[in-house]
Amino acid sequence: GNSVTQMEGPVTLSEEAFLTINCTYTATGYPSLFWYVQYPGEGLQLLLKATKADDKGSNKGFEATYRKETTSFHLEKGSVQVSDSAVYFCALQATNTGNQFYFGTGTSLTVIP
Amino acid sequence: KAGVTQTPRYLIKTRGQQVTLSCSPISGHRSVSWYQQTPGQGLQFLFEYFSETQRNKGNFPGRFSGRQFSNSRSEMNVSTLELGDSALYLCASTTTMDGTEAFFGQGTRLTVV
């Protein structure tokens, strides 16, 4: 079946620290992979995506590379800011289940000044 | 371009009652999906509608139902509410049948007392 395993949180970092949030997946076929972010009281916002192996998604200083050999899509940012504090969700969209997304459990990030 | 609109934002209902939530997708988007988000279970897929037809359904009891209108607006209904139905209900819209990007609304926070 399809599933996403995401690094447990919460994660607390100092401003300008390096961020890595691990994400691995199980899927049939060739899924598309996503990172979504959720701020308090809000819905999910797309952060970045990758639709095929070796693609790198990037946005607002965040990056993630679609690694088929390790079935991973780890999120990284070189220097986090207080405004990055949010919950981050890794997700996949399989090739045979329409627009259904499979989400990880979410990782709460708090960045302190 | 207006985003995904969910109404109401907050709702308090009593056990045994029923509730209807509404979602207006982005103009031109024909696919609407619903998710339930709880602290214990995370984000779980409820169902997806495309062109007024339910295309996919998650593992929820029959008390949860939905529909889509010809203008792509969607409603979901929960009958005989239980305390465990308290959650944030998120709606997502996409452009095509194989849309790889979903846009989420801010959600409806349902509290069952």
Side-chain angles (χ1 to χ4, degrees), chain B residues 42-97:
Chain B
L43 282 150
Q44 296 187 89
F45 173 75
L46 282 155
F47 27 65
E48 181 204 355
Y49 286 86
F50 179 82
S51 293
E52 303 179 62
T53 301
Q54 187 181 88
R55 186 162 69 149
N56 203 358
K57 189 177 191 304
N59 189 26
F60 278 82
R63 300 185 296 107
F64 291 81
S65 63
R67 59 178 175 168
Q68 187 180 34
F69 302 94
S70 59
N71 62 357
S72 294
R73 189 177 72 85
S74 177
E75 290 181 346
M76 68 163 281
N77 184 275
V78 188
S79 62
T80 319
L81 284 165
E82 301 176 0
L83 295 179
D85 297 332
S86 296
L88 180 66
Y89 290 88
L90 292 166
C91 165
S93 78
T94 57
T95 54
T96 70
M97 289 184 70

Side-chain angles (χ1 to χ4, degrees), chain A residues 1-105:
Chain A
N2 301 308
S3 67
V4 174
T5 301
Q6 190 175 339
M7 187 175 93
E8 293 283 334
V11 174
T12 302
L13 294 174
S14 297
E15 204 165 23
E16 299 184 3
F18 185 84
L19 168 71
T20 299
I21 301 178
N22 290 336
C23 171
T24 58
Y25 69 89
T26 301
T28 53
Y30 303 93
S32 296
L33 301 174
F34 304 79
W35 278 99
Y36 278 87
V37 59
Q38 187 176 35
Y39 298 99
E42 300 292 322
L44 276 66
Q45 300 176 25
L46 178 68
L47 182 59
L48 53 84
K49 67 179 182 182
T51 58
K52 60 183 187 296
D54 299 326
D55 268 2
K56 177 186 283 188
S58 61
N59 185 28
K60 300 180 182 179
F62 291 89
E63 293 183 339
T65 301
Y66 187 166
R67 302 286 189 200
K68 188 166 176 62
E69 64 275 15
T70 54
T71 62
S72 65
F73 193 55
H74 305 320
L75 181 68
E76 296 182 337
K77 186 175 186 183
S79 176
V80 293
Q81 305 300 312
V82 172
S83 57
D84 294 327
S85 298
V87 181
Y88 293 81
F89 292 90
C90 184
L92 74 81
Q93 186 185 56
T95 55
N96 58 352
T97 54
N99 287 322
Q100 178 178 353
F101 281 74
Y102 297 82
F103 287 93
T105 52

